[in-house]
Amino acid sequence: MNPFFKKFSEKFIEGLLMISGTVTSLTVVLIVFFLFKEGISVFNKKAVEEGYVIAVNKSNKVNSISPEDIKNIFDQKITSWKDLGGKDSIILFRLEDISTYFTDEQIGENFERLPACISRVVDSIPQIFAFFPEKYMDKNFKGKEIEAGKISFNTFFGGKEWFPTAQPAAQLGAKPLILGTLWVSLGAILLALPLGLAAAIYMSEIAKDKVRRVMKPLIELLAGIPSVVYGFFGLVVIVPAIQKLFNLPVGETGLAGSIILGIMALPTIITISEDAMRNTPRSMKEASLALGASKWQTICRVVIPHSISGITAAAILGIGRAIGETMAVLMVTGNAAVIPHSILEPMRTIPATIAAELGEAPNGGVHYKALFALGCILFVMTLVINLTVEFITGSKKYKKH
Amino acid sequence: MLKLESKQVNFYYGSSPALKDINLEMESNTVTALIGPSGCGKSTYLRLFNRMNDLIDNTKLTGEVLIDGIDIYKKGINVDTLRKMTGMVFQKPNPFPKSIFENVAYGLRVNGITDKQFIEERVETTIKQVVLWDEVKDKLKKSAFELSGGQQQRLCIARALAIQPSVILMDEPTSALDPISTSKVEELIHELKSKYTIVIVTHNMQQAARVSDHTAFFYLGELVEVGTTKKIFTNPTQEKTQNYITGRFG
Amino acid sequence: MKQVDENKLAKSKKRKQSLAFFMFGFIGFVIVGILLTVLSFIVFKGVSVISWDFITKMPEEGMTRGGIYPAIIGTLCLVGGSMIFAFPIGVMAAIYMNEYVRDGIIKKIIKQMTNNLSGIPSIVFGLFGMALFVNKLGFGDSILAGSLTLGLLALPVVIRTTEEALKGVDDTFRHASLGLGATKWQTTRRVVLPIAFPNIITGLILSVGRVSGETAPILFTVAAYFLPKLPTSIFDQAMALPYHLYVISTSGTNIEESRPIAYGTALVLIIIVLLTNILANFLRKYFGKKVKMN
Ligand SMILES: Nc1ncnc2c1ncn2[C@@H]1O[C@H](COP(=O)(O)OP(=O)(O)OP(=O)(O)O)[C@@H](O)[C@H]1O
Ligand SMILES: [Mg+2]
C-alpha cells in the first residue's frame, strides 16, 4: 500500500475516533446548555396570564406582588394591603366589574372608551387592585402598573403551591415537589439500605459460593426490569395492599413510592457494597480470625470498616437512583402537589411532575420553562450525588497507598 | 517441654495432597524455621496450628495436631479460644483499618475484655515489647496505614502478642520489608523466644540460620529433614537438603 | 487471660453469630423472593393473554381488545434506531479512550463526562430530547427524535462495556502486533477487536435490554398514545411497549377492561429483558471459554 495513503488513513481514523470520544462530553455540555437556558429563563417571567396587567392607584406604596399573593387576593385570603406592606383593605377590580362603575354608554358600543374608564377607576380608588387585559391599557394611564407575578428564586424555591395552570397567576412553588422527592427517596433508602446491606454481607461473607453464584445474577436481573413494570406491579399489588392495610381513602401514597423505589434501589446497593466487601484483603480477615475473633466479629469490626466508603457510595448512589426515577413513582405516589406531612399521603416528585405535565405545557410558555427549571434542580441533585460518590471512592484509593 | 507436635499429618486440598505424613515436634521457647521451595506446604503446615485451614472449603486432614499435648482438631475444641492461644504474623503487613491503638487492642476487645485501663496498659506494654513505642506514642489515634511497612509489621506482631498467646506463627514475616526493618524484626524474634514458642516460615536461608534453633526442610509436601539449625546448615544428612541450602534448586 | 469466662464468652460469641447469620441469610432470600414474586406475578397474570394474535394485531375498542403489534414494532424501531446511533459511536469512543489516548487530562475529562452522562436521570434526557431534537432541530415527535434521545442514554453503557472488553485484551497481543510493524489501527482492527468482540456484543445486548424498557425519554419525543397504524418513516410518531403499558394502566379510557392487555404488555417487556440477559450471559460464558483456550 502507498505509505502516504496509509499514514493518511491512520490519521483520518484517529480523527474519527477522537470525535466519537468527544460525543459524550459534548452531550453533557448540550444538556446543561439547553436545560439551563430554558430553565433559567423562567425567572423574571411573569406567572400572570399572558396579556394581562395588574395596576394599582398611584398613591399605593406596594411595588410588586408575588404570584402567590395574587392568588390569595383573588381567593380573598388577603383582603388588606397591610399584608403586602401598604394600608387599607383591598378593592379587587376585574374587567367584568366595570359595569358597577360605568354604564354601557359610557364605555361605548365597541368598548372604545373602556381604557379611559379603567384608568379613571384606578385613579379614583386608592385601595384598588385592578386586573385587566393589556390591550385596554390607556395611553396615558393614570394608575401605576406594578410588577406582578414575577417568578423569582424565592417564589420558585420557597413557594408552597405548585399549580401551573392556576388563574389568574400560575403558582410555581417547587417546594412541595422538592420535599416530595426527598421524602419518597429517603423512605426508599431507609427501607432498602438495611436490607441491601444485610444481603450484601450475606452474599460476600457468609453464603456458600454456590448460593452466591445463583443469587448474584438474579439480583442483577432485578436491576434490568424496566421501571414501568415496577410501577405497574406497584399499582396493581402494592397500592391496594397499602390502602387496605392502613385503611386509607387511596393507596397511592409516598409509602407506595418508597417501597417500589426501595426495591429498585436494592440491586445498586447490594452489588456496590458487596463488591466493596469482597475487596477486603483476605489476609486482613485472617488476621482477625487468628486473634480469636468470630466470623461475625470480623465482619463487624474489620470487613465493614474496611469497605465503609464503598458502602457509603452504595447508599448515596441508591438515593440518586431513587431521586431520578420517574415512571414507577409517577404511577404509584398519587401525585398530589402539596407539602407532605406523612408518608401515607399522596406525594409528587420532581421527575413525576415533569413527566406528567410537559406534554400539556405550551412550548416556550412559563409552565414549560418551569418544568425545565425542575429538570435543572434534578440535574444538579444527581450531579452532586455522583461527584460525592466519586470523591468518597476516590479519596479511599488515595488513603490506601 | 514439648509444645507443638504433629503426628502422621496428611492434608488435602480437594483430592490433591499438600502434606504427607508429617511428624514433627517443637519444644517450648524455641524458634523453629520451616524452609523449602515454593509450594512445598510450609504455609499449609503452619496454618494447621491455629486451624486457619478450616476457612478453606473442601479440605481434609488426617493424623493429629497437638498443642500442649491436646489434639486441637478433636471434637469440643472451640476454635476461637484455640486461636487466642496462637498469634499469627503474615507475609505482608496487614493492619486493620483502625487506629494504631485499636489495632493492638483488637484482640482484647473481640475476646470480651472491656476494662479500659487494663486495655491501655496492655497495649502500651505490647507496643514497647516490639520496640515501636517511641515511634508511635504520640500518634496512637492515627490510622495504622500511616506507618511505614516495617513499622506496620511490628505493629502486627504487637497485635498478635497483645492477647498473650504462647505460640507465635510467622509466615515469611520479613519478605515485604527492607533490610533494616528485617533486622529489627529478627532481633525481636530473639527477644520473644524467652516467652513464646515461635514457628517461622522463611525463604531466606541466612535468616533461618540467624534466628532459629531448629530447622525443618519441606519438599513436595514431605518433611525431608529436621534438626538443629546448626546441623542442617553445616551437615545435613539428606542430599536434597544439601542441594537446597546451597542454592542448587528451589 | 484476664477475668473472662472462656466458656461463657465462646457461647455468647457463637449465639450472636448464628443469630446474625440466620437473619442475613433470611434477608438475602427474601430479596430474591421479592424478585421472583414480581416476575412470577407478571408471568402468571400475563401468560394467558399472550397469543399470536396479541403480538400481531392492532389494538381495538379503545385498547381494551386486540393486540399490541404497533407498540412492538415501535419499540423495535426505537431500539434499532438508538443502537445505529449509539453502538458505533460508543465503540469508537471506547477505542479512542482505551487504545489511543494516553492517561492524562483528556482521558480524565472524557471519563468524567461519560460518568456524568450515565448519572443523569432518564427524564432529563427526555427534557433534553424535547428541547433539542423535537423543537430546536424540528424533528417533531418522531422515531428519529426518540431514537437519538435513547441513543444518548445508551451511549455511556456501550462505552463502558466496550472499554471493559478492550481492557480484557492482554497487552502482549498488542505488543506482538505492533512489534511486527503493524500500525495502531491495524493492531486494533485485526488483533484487539476480534478478541474483544464477544464482550462488545454482550454490551450491545445489555444496552438493548436497557433501552427497550425506557419510558421517560420517549414520553415527549416519540410516543403516541393510540396509533393503530405502523410508522412509515423516521419522522412518524410511534407507539412503544413501555409507554403503552404506562398509558393503559393509568390513563386508558377503561382501565379495568384493559388490565389483561397491561399484564400481557408487561410480560412482553419482561421477556425482552430476560432474553437479553440470558443471551448476554450465554455469550459471556461461551466466548469467555473460547478466548481463554486460544
Ligand atoms: N487454598 C488452596 N486451595 C487449593 N490448593 C492450595 C491452596 N493453598 C495452597 N494450595 C496448594 O497446596 C500446596 C502447598 O501450598 P503452601 O501455600 O502451603 O506452600 P508454601 O510452601 O507456603 O509456598 P510459598 O513458599 O510459595 O508460600 C501448593 O501446591 C498449593 O498449590
Ligand atoms: Mg507460603
Side-chain angles (χ1 to χ4, degrees):
Chain A
M1 213 195 308
N2 180 341
F4 173 75
F5 177 75
K6 193 167 161 186
K7 197 161 174 201
F8 174 79
S9 68
E10 276 290 311
K11 280 282 160 219
F12 176 76
I13 285 165
E14 185 169 349
L16 208 65
L17 294 175
M18 190 180 76
I19 292 171
S20 309
T22 54
V23 167
T24 50
S25 315
L26 193 74
T27 309
V28 174
V29 172
L30 278 178
I31 289 180
V32 171
F33 175 75
F34 275 96
L35 217 56
F36 281 80
K37 189 185 120 214
E38 298 281 358
I40 294 205
S41 65
V42 78
F43 299 111
N44 293 325
K45 271 230 159 199
K46 281 192 198 159
V48 186
E49 226 176 307
E50 200 84 19
Y52 277 75
V53 290
I54 288 170
V56 296
N57 190 277
K58 273 224 171 82
S59 65
N60 199 328
K61 282 204 226 73
V62 177
N63 286 320
S64 71
I65 305 180
S66 72
E68 207 174 344
D69 291 336
I70 295 176
K71 176 167 177 283
N72 285 334
I73 291 172
F74 272 75
D75 293 350
Q76 312 215 313
K77 277 188 197 138
I78 294 181
T79 52
S80 164
W81 286 109
K82 278 177 204 148
D83 295 339
L84 305 171
K87 48 186 179 189
D88 298 333
S89 57
I90 291 173
I91 294 177
L92 183 61
F93 171 85
R94 276 177 283 202
L95 195 59
E96 57 266 34
D97 300 330
I98 193 78
S99 54
T100 55
Y101 299 96
F102 297 98
T103 62
D104 288 357
E105 237 158 81
Q106 282 167 309
I107 297 165
E109 226 167 273
N110 301 318
F111 307 114
E112 61 269 17
R113 284 186 295 280
L114 182 58
C117 293
I118 295 175
S119 175
R120 274 198 8 233
V121 174
V122 175
D123 192 32
S124 59
I125 306 172
Q127 307 99 307
I128 194 112
F129 174 95
F131 177 78
F132 56 92
E134 206 170 357
K135 62 180 178 187
Y136 295 132
M137 179 80 124
D138 201 24
K139 270 191 210 85
N140 28 27
F141 184 66
K142 294 217 191 66
K144 179 170 74 166
E145 189 190 340
I146 63 170
E147 276 200 352
K150 241 186 174 180
I151 300 162
S152 67
F153 255 72
N154 276 343
T155 54
F156 191 71
F157 286 99
K160 293 195 188 69
E161 202 171 344
W162 179 268
F163 189 4
T165 51
Q167 302 289 355
Q171 301 298 306
L172 299 173
K175 204 169 175 183
L177 311 180
I178 297 175
L179 288 178
T181 309
L182 293 179
W183 273 64
V184 174
S185 312
L186 288 181
I189 213 71
L190 285 182
L191 292 175
L193 192 59
L195 295 181
L197 272 187
I201 291 174
Y202 177 72
M203 270 167 62
S204 93
E205 304 296 322
I206 305 171
K208 293 235 167 68
D209 216 38
K210 261 190 207 152
V211 178
R212 183 177 170 271
R213 269 210 296 269
V214 177
M215 243 181 191
K216 192 152 167 121
L218 276 178
I219 283 171
E220 274 162 14
L221 193 63
L222 200 60
I225 298 178
S227 53
V228 256
V229 175
Y230 280 113
F232 179 61
F233 178 79
L235 196 65
V236 292
V237 176
I238 293 176
V239 165
I242 287 181
Q243 183 181 8
K244 235 188 223 151
L245 196 65
F246 295 97
N247 221 343
L248 299 171
V250 288
E252 277 102 344
T253 53
L255 181 62
S258 291
I259 292 176
I260 282 294
L261 284 184
I263 296 178
M264 293 174 73
L266 276 174
T268 311
I269 295 176
I270 294 177
T271 34
I272 297 181
S273 48
E274 200 228 346
D275 266 0
M277 287 187 222
R278 286 181 76 81
N279 269 336
T280 313
R282 196 194 150 99
S283 78
M284 202 184 268
K285 287 189 241 173
E286 286 188 346
S288 167
L289 295 168
L291 288 166
S294 67
K295 216 168 163 184
W296 171 232
Q297 283 175 318
T298 304
I299 292 171
C300 288
R301 293 170 189 242
V302 175
V303 177
I304 291 180
H306 180 269
S307 42
I308 194 70
S309 66
I311 293 172
T312 320
I316 297 176
L317 273 181
I319 297 180
R321 277 283 154 79
I323 284 180
E325 177 49 47
T326 312
M327 299 316 291
V329 183
L330 179 64
M331 291 164 84
V332 301
T333 53
N335 298 315
V338 289
I339 293 195
H341 297 287
S342 133
I343 195 85
L344 291 176
E345 287 171 9
M347 279 179 206
R348 164 180 269 209
T349 68
I350 291 176
T353 308
I354 300 174
E357 293 176 5
L358 192 61
E360 284 133 43
N363 265 353
V366 179
H367 186 187
Y368 178 87
K369 294 191 162 159
L371 293 175
F372 272 83
L374 288 182
C376 295
I377 298 179
L378 199 59
F379 179 83
V380 171
M381 278 180 169
T382 46
L383 188 69
V384 167
I385 281 177
N386 282 340
L387 293 181
T388 314
V389 167
E390 258 163 54
F391 177 75
I392 291 173
T393 46
S395 65
K396 165 79 195 241
K397 270 179 217 139
Y398 165 77
K399 217 172 135 192
K400 258 174 97 178
H401 293 288
Chain B
M1 203 180 79
L2 207 56
K3 185 73 188 176
L4 304 173
E5 199 179 347
S6 66
K7 287 187 190 161
Q8 286 299 112
V9 162
N10 283 280
F11 190 84
Y12 304 85
Y13 289 110
S15 57
S16 67
L19 295 173
K20 297 169 201 158
D21 290 336
I22 310 287
N23 289 298
L24 187 57
E25 297 177 348
M26 291 170 246
E27 297 282 324
S28 285
N29 301 15
T30 59
V31 178
T32 307
L34 309 182
I35 60 170
S38 186
C40 65
K42 306 179 296 289
S43 299
T44 306
Y45 183 70
L46 189 75
R47 291 157 59 93
L48 286 177
F49 289 99
N50 59 353
R51 292 186 57 170
M52 268 332 219
N53 290 330
D54 292 14
L55 302 175
I56 300 163
D57 287 338
N58 216 357
T59 56
K60 201 180 119 202
L61 172 82
T62 62
E64 283 176 33
V65 181
L66 304 108
I67 298 182
D68 294 329
I70 298 168
D71 182 356
I72 57 171
Y73 282 86
K74 81 172 183 220
K75 267 211 182 113
I77 292 280
N78 182 291
V79 181
D80 296 348
T81 319
L82 163 76
R83 288 181 183 153
K84 230 163 54 183
M85 289 164 48
T86 55
M88 187 161 201
V89 180
F90 296 77
Q91 188 167 355
K92 280 204 197 113
N94 55 355
F96 299 133
K98 296 172 182 294
S99 68
I100 294 171
F101 182 91
E102 283 305 320
N103 259 281
V104 182
Y106 183 88
L108 303 172
R109 293 201 196 281
V110 295
N111 285 300
I113 292 177
T114 49
D115 182 344
K116 238 176 123 184
Q117 202 193 341
F118 176 83
I119 292 177
E120 272 169 24
E121 281 167 14
R122 179 66 68 78
V123 168
E124 185 176 334
T125 36
T126 356
I127 296 182
K128 280 180 177 156
Q129 211 176 347
V130 299
V131 211
L132 192 62
W133 183 250
D134 290 333
E135 291 153 78
V136 303
K137 65 170 183 271
D138 299 323
K139 45 179 181 182
L140 291 172
K141 291 260 163 357
K142 291 262 172 66
S143 162
F145 293 124
E146 287 175 23
L147 297 176
S148 74
Q151 289 172 326
Q152 285 187 13
Q153 192 64 315
R154 276 180 285 151
L155 184 73
C156 290
I157 298 176
R159 181 176 69 186
L161 297 183
I163 49 172
Q164 297 193 328
S166 51
V167 179
I168 303 178
L169 309 168
M170 298 180 155
D171 196 348
E172 304 180 43
T174 62
S175 64
L177 302 185
D178 63 284
I180 293 180
S181 304
T182 300
S183 69
K184 280 192 181 164
V185 171
E186 285 179 8
E187 271 168 41
L188 189 58
I189 294 174
H190 254 298
E191 305 264 313
L192 295 175
K193 194 168 79 172
S194 61
K195 282 194 179 164
Y196 307 91
T197 308
I198 299 174
V199 189
I200 177 171
V201 173
T202 179
H203 277 280
N204 181 332
M205 294 305 117
Q206 283 81 19
Q207 182 169 67
R210 279 194 301 265
V211 302
S212 66
D213 306 311
H214 297 272
T215 297
F217 172 59
F218 282 72
Y219 184 70
L220 293 179
E222 283 174 49
L223 176 59
V224 177
E225 186 170 358
V226 60
T228 62
T229 300
K230 199 167 161 213
K231 173 153 187 303
I232 295 282
F233 278 89
T234 54
N235 187 19
T237 41
Q238 303 286 323
E239 202 184 325
K240 272 188 200 141
T241 318
Q242 174 77 29
N243 290 344
Y244 182 71
I245 57 170
T246 51
R248 245 167 275 169
F249 74 91
Chain C
M1 204 92 192
K2 226 192 146 195
Q3 351 67 4
V4 177
D5 183 340
E6 294 285 339
N7 261 329
K8 231 168 116 188
L9 175 70
K11 260 193 198 142
S12 109
K13 267 158 104 174
K14 187 105 205 153
R15 212 175 33 235
K16 275 186 200 156
Q17 165 155 324
S18 328
L19 189 70
F21 282 15
F22 172 75
M23 233 173 62
F24 288 0
F26 181 73
I27 290 172
F29 283 101
V30 164
I31 288 174
V32 172
I34 291 175
L35 166 85
L36 295 180
T37 312
V38 175
L39 283 185
S40 52
F41 179 79
I42 303 238
V43 171
F44 276 127
K45 293 275 196 171
V47 78
S48 58
V49 182
I50 289 196
S51 64
W52 185 244
D53 278 357
F54 183 70
I55 55 175
T56 57
K57 281 251 164 74
M58 294 288 167
E60 286 160 22
E61 293 176 38
M63 297 201 281
T64 54
R65 293 274 134 68
I68 55 168
Y69 184 52
I72 292 180
I73 295 299
T75 288
L76 284 181
C77 291
L78 287 173
V79 168
S82 60
M83 284 305 132
I84 287 177
F85 165 72
F87 186 62
I89 294 190
V91 170
M92 288 200 292
I95 291 177
Y96 183 66
M97 262 160 58
N98 205 56
E99 308 290 321
Y100 281 78
V101 203
R102 282 161 195 277
D103 286 344
I105 186 83
I106 293 186
K107 192 164 178 177
K108 250 196 188 145
I109 291 177
I110 299 182
K111 264 234 153 82
Q112 182 69 44
M113 287 298 192
T114 311
N115 254 352
N116 289 345
L117 194 65
S118 69
I120 294 175
S122 53
I123 187 72
V124 173
F125 279 93
L127 277 174
F128 172 67
M130 178 169 191
L132 178 64
F133 302 126
V134 176
N135 293 339
K136 189 89 188 172
L137 299 179
F139 298 158
D141 278 6
S142 62
I143 292 182
L144 180 60
S147 300
L148 287 172
T149 312
L150 285 174
L152 290 180
L153 184 112
L155 201 51
V157 185
V158 176
I159 293 181
R160 199 164 320 136
T161 46
T162 308
E163 250 201 299
E164 295 285 307
L166 294 175
K167 271 195 199 131
V169 178
D170 203 273
D171 261 347
T172 51
F173 289 110
R174 294 186 181 87
H175 295 163
S177 166
L178 290 172
L180 290 171
T183 62
K184 200 151 209 172
W185 173 243
Q186 285 171 326
T187 305
T188 307
R189 196 173 67 100
R190 287 162 200 257
V191 178
V192 179
L193 282 183
I195 299 176
F197 184 73
N199 284 330
I200 296 179
I201 293 299
T202 310
L204 172 73
I205 293 169
L206 288 177
S207 345
V208 166
R210 164 102 200 262
V211 162
S212 50
E214 281 291 345
T215 319
I218 58 172
L219 283 177
F220 320 111
T221 53
V222 51
Y225 171 58
F226 177 58
L227 195 69
K229 68 180 174 67
L230 298 184
T232 53
S233 89
I234 55 169
F235 292 104
D236 279 357
Q237 278 193 299
M239 294 176 76
L241 285 170
Y243 184 63
H244 191 65
L245 173 57
Y246 165 61
V247 168
I248 54 176
S249 59
T250 56
S251 49
T253 39
N254 195 334
I255 294 181
E256 282 314 313
E257 275 191 46
S258 49
R259 261 295 124 84
I261 310 247
Y263 285 119
T265 312
L267 181 54
V268 172
L269 271 172
I270 291 225
I271 289 175
I272 293 178
V273 171
L274 283 178
L275 278 184
T276 52
N277 252 290
I278 291 170
L279 197 60
N281 271 332
F282 170 76
L283 275 179
R284 230 183 323 218
K285 279 218 182 90
Y286 180 73
F287 284 104
K289 269 189 201 128
K290 218 169 164 186
V291 168
K292 253 184 220 143
M293 259 158 52
N294 285 350

